[in-house]
Amino acid sequence: MPAKVPWLPASLPPGARPERCPRCGRRALIPWTLRRDARTLAVMRTWVCAECQATEERLEAE
């Protein structure tokens, strides 16, 4: 397993409602950061797995 990246969560924060991670299958996928796509101006949310550190971006409602 690769080393954990320090700016990503290593454990679930209190009150988090995790989803199932598509990579490792554990319920540890949580919403983490927001960013705006420069080309489309859409708001994107980065989701991160607290167990395997996998990330995915999803479109976020404004």
Side-chain angles (χ1 to χ4, degrees), residues 16-59:
R17 291 192 213 151
E19 294 183 8
R20 189 159 309 279
C21 175
R23 185 167 143 197
C24 70
R26 296 183 182 133
R27 292 191 52 80
L29 192 68
I30 56 173
W32 196 242
T33 60
L34 286 172
R35 73 171 185 85
R36 188 171 295 275
D37 188 355
R39 291 186 323 163
T40 64
L41 299 180
V43 177
M44 303 296 286
R45 166 127 7 224
T46 301
W47 288 66
V48 64
C49 177
E51 294 292 328
C52 70
Q53 304 293 292
T55 59
E56 70 176 46
E57 286 195 325
R58 298 181 185 173
L59 190 60

